[in-house]
């Protein structure tokens, strides 16, 4: 059933696009609220309600990058059947509604919001397990059942506005996920990611960063619950047509982001770039990986043929949660990543680049000195952040 779940997730996204019934949290909540009274009745679900429910479960799993849990491998074994009874549906749906209400209500505040709601990761797996036990024949013909007029009639009125930003449907996310499939980072393919809203050429640089900041905040709040790995931002290609322009873009972007930091971090007002320094936002330190159009195909920061500049943000709480990046395992894991890139002719090294800030941008040649992007930070009243890193 793990494979059926993964394929069903993909099929729900393709069906949503084909039949114009892609959902966001608001639409999903309305459909679940309408289904909820039906779940209180005894007996099996009738075909239309079952189809609506399976579509919502799988599309929600797609929107939150849910991975198949091992319980799907055992849920239909005799000893586990009682754990996945139909009588569990009402409680699981109530819990999913609570979680989506929490996520839909996230607003930028000085600190990331916290909640004891259960993750979409756990809930959609458990809901799918119930369907796998009681309606296996439906799971073998999902798209056929979803395409019934009565099912579409219950889905399409709640479809999201395609002009609105939804992380997993954004062009940034879709393009970035294609690059994830090509990268030689050994840990990237197993990660869960979101993409920012697209760049708007009619808006100012700072206005775009403000929108990206709203998306970053929501990502960070959700990532703590769902164990996401990173947030991708896409900018115009000309902003990285040389290493120097990428340095200026990085400095300008982080400066603009810092100015709207809800936690009012002073990380750019003192010494920047030395050992131990970190960029932090919304109260959380994070790492930035910059990809630029200036880099050739054999460079680890090449954007895989896409004509865009990319910034990839990873909060420390994400990195430290990775089992291969514990203090004991991190040196070995990073060496494995370096070896993987070098093996494929995309050489880089960290010698002379021990400080995190020195690895945000990579020089054109791996042995060149680090790119000191912080030298391009604008001076502020009473502060000048341009300093040399600690030797």
């Amino acid at each position: 059933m793990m494979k059926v779940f993964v394929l069903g997730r993909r099929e729900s996204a393709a069906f949503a696009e084909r039949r114009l019934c892609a959902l966001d949290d608001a639409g999903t909540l309305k459909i679940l609220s309408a289904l909820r009274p039906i779940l209180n009745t005894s007996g099996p679900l009738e075909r239309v309600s079952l189809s609506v429910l399976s579509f919502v479960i799988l599309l929600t799993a797609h929107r939150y990058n849910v991975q198949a849990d091992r319980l799907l491998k055992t849920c239909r074994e005799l000893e586990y059947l009682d754990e996945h009874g139909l009588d569990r549906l009402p409680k699981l749906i109530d819990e999913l509604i609570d979680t989506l209400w929490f996520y839909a209500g996230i607003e930028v505040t000085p600190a990331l919001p916290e909640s004891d709601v259960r993750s979409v990761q756990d809930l959609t797996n458990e809901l799918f397990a119930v369907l796998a036990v009681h309606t296996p024949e439906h799971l073998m013909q999902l798209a056929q059942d979803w395409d019934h007029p009565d099912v579409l009639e219950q889905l399409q009125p709640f479809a999201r506005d395609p002009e609105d930003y939804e992380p997993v449907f954004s062009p940034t996310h879709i393009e970035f996920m294609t690059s994830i499939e090509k990268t030689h980072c050994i840990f990237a393919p197993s990660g869960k990611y979101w993409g920012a809203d697209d760049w708007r050429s009619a808006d100012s640089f700072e206005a775009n960063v403000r929108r990206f900041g709203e998306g970053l905040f929501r990502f960070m709040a959700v990532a703590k619950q769902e164990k996401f790995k990173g947030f991708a931002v896409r900018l115009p290609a000309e902003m990285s047509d040389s290493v120097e322009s990428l340095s200026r873009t990085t400095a300008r972007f982080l400066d603009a982001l810092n100015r709207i930091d809800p936690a009012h971090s002073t990380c750019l007002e003192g010494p920047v770039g030395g050992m131990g320094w970190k960029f932090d936002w919304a109260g959380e330190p994070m790492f930035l990986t910059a990809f630029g159009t200036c880099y050739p195909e054999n460079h680890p920061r090449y954007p895989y043929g896409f004509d865009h500049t990319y910034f990839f943000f990873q909060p420390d709480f994400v990195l430290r949660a990775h089992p291969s990046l514990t203090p004991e395992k991190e040196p070995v894991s990073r060496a494995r990543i370096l070896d993987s890139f070098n093996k494929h002719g995309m050489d880089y090294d960290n010698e002379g680049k021990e400080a995190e800030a020195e690895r945000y941008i990579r020089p054109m040649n791996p042995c060149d000195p680090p790119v000191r992007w912080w030298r391009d930070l604008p001076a502020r009243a009473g502060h000048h952040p341009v300093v040399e890193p600690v030797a």
Side-chain angles (χ1 to χ4, degrees):
M1 274 298 148
M2 294 176 73
K3 184 177 181 180
V4 176
F5 179 83
V6 172
L7 294 176
R9 254 194 55 189
R10 296 174 185 168
E11 181 59 34
S12 72
F15 183 86
E17 182 178 7
R18 189 166 65 248
R19 289 301 195 184
L20 305 179
C21 55
L23 305 171
D24 54 16
D25 284 341
T28 301
L29 285 165
K30 290 176 182 176
I31 293 173
L32 289 177
S33 297
L35 277 175
R36 181 60 182 80
I38 300 173
L39 300 178
N40 284 328
T41 60
S42 59
L45 287 172
E46 50 86 20
R47 180 64 66 177
V48 171
S49 296
L50 171 62
S51 299
V52 172
L53 179 60
S54 66
F55 177 80
V56 170
I57 290 170
L58 287 167
L59 188 62
T60 302
H62 173 74
R63 292 193 301 112
Y64 284 91
N65 291 293
V66 171
Q67 297 170 340
D69 285 343
R70 291 190 62 82
L71 72 89
L72 297 180
K73 191 173 183 178
T74 60
C75 63
R76 294 203 295 170
E77 295 179 7
L78 186 61
E79 60 190 292
Y80 296 105
L81 290 180
D82 289 344
E83 297 179 15
H84 307 292
L86 279 174
D87 58 341
R88 294 199 66 212
L89 282 180
K91 183 176 186 297
L92 289 172
I93 292 297
D94 285 344
E95 290 179 315
L96 183 58
I97 288 173
D98 288 343
T99 299
L100 294 181
W101 269 115
F102 172 63
Y103 290 164
I106 292 172
E107 296 181 352
V108 178
T109 53
L112 296 179
E114 296 184 359
S115 172
D116 58 0
V117 297
R118 298 187 63 200
S119 67
V120 172
Q121 169 72 35
D122 290 346
L123 290 168
T124 51
N125 268 278
E126 292 180 28
L127 282 161
F128 193 81
V130 174
L131 299 187
V133 169
H134 298 279
T135 62
E137 71 289 343
H138 167 62
L139 300 186
M140 297 300 109
Q141 54 181 42
L142 287 168
Q144 178 182 330
D145 287 352
W146 293 339
D147 214 18
H148 191 283
D150 291 344
V151 176
L152 292 172
E153 187 178 352
Q154 293 190 38
L155 296 176
Q156 289 174 335
F158 303 105
R160 59 180 286 270
D161 185 338
E163 297 300 315
D164 291 343
Y165 166 59
E166 178 68 15
V168 79
F169 297 126
S170 74
T172 299
H173 175 84
I174 294 169
E175 188 172 85
F176 186 76
M177 290 307 296
T178 304
S179 69
I180 287 293
E181 297 170 0
K182 301 175 183 178
T183 183
H184 298 298
C185 176
I186 57 176
F187 299 118
S190 62
K192 300 164 69 171
Y193 310 97
W194 264 1
D197 197 0
D198 220 5
W199 181 271
R200 297 179 186 173
S201 57
D203 291 350
S204 68
F205 188 98
E206 289 69 23
N208 276 289
V209 172
R210 181 172 292 278
R211 275 189 304 103
F212 294 156
E214 293 170 356
L216 177 60
F217 188 91
R218 183 184 175 210
F219 162 80
M220 291 168 68
V222 171
K224 283 202 167 186
Q225 300 282 124
E226 303 293 340
K227 295 182 171 57
F228 282 10
K229 301 303 182 189
F231 185 74
V233 175
R234 189 172 78 168
L235 296 84
E238 62 269 19
M239 293 185 179
S240 62
D241 56 10
S242 68
V243 173
E244 292 76 18
S245 65
L246 180 56
S247 175
R248 290 190 294 271
T249 301
T250 301
R252 185 179 180 186
F253 192 100
L254 293 183
D255 177 72
L257 194 59
N258 174 257
R259 291 175 186 271
I260 60 169
D261 179 14
H264 306 292
S265 168
T266 59
C267 65
L268 297 184
E269 295 179 3
V272 176
M275 291 296 294
W277 179 88
K278 292 177 178 286
F279 181 77
D280 63 83
W281 198 79
E284 301 289 344
M286 61 183 65
F287 186 76
L288 170 66
T289 303
F291 299 85
T293 55
C294 57
Y295 296 117
E297 289 186 32
N298 64 346
H299 197 283
R301 297 298 178 82
Y302 173 66
Y304 296 95
F306 300 122
D307 197 25
H308 292 97
T309 304
Y310 271 95
F311 287 156
F312 182 57
F313 289 92
Q314 291 178 285
D316 273 17
F317 67 76
V318 164
L319 292 170
R320 300 308 157 212
H322 197 293
S324 297
L325 291 178
T326 60
E328 308 80 40
K329 296 181 180 179
E330 182 173 1
V332 174
S333 297
R334 294 202 179 278
R336 289 177 60 199
I337 294 172
L338 187 149
D339 289 344
S340 178
F341 276 99
N342 289 345
K343 187 187 301 182
H344 290 88
M346 305 178 84
D347 297 348
Y348 78 90
D349 68 68
N350 289 328
E351 187 174 348
K353 306 174 186 69
E354 286 77 18
E356 279 197 7
E358 296 173 329
R359 301 197 295 269
Y360 283 15
I361 303 172
R362 291 284 173 177
M364 191 61 70
N365 298 306
C367 296
D368 285 350
V371 179
R372 296 183 172 93
W373 55 267
W374 53 89
R375 291 179 172 177
D376 292 316
L377 285 167
R380 301 189 185 187
H383 300 279
H384 200 288
V386 181
V387 297
E388 295 300 320
V390 177

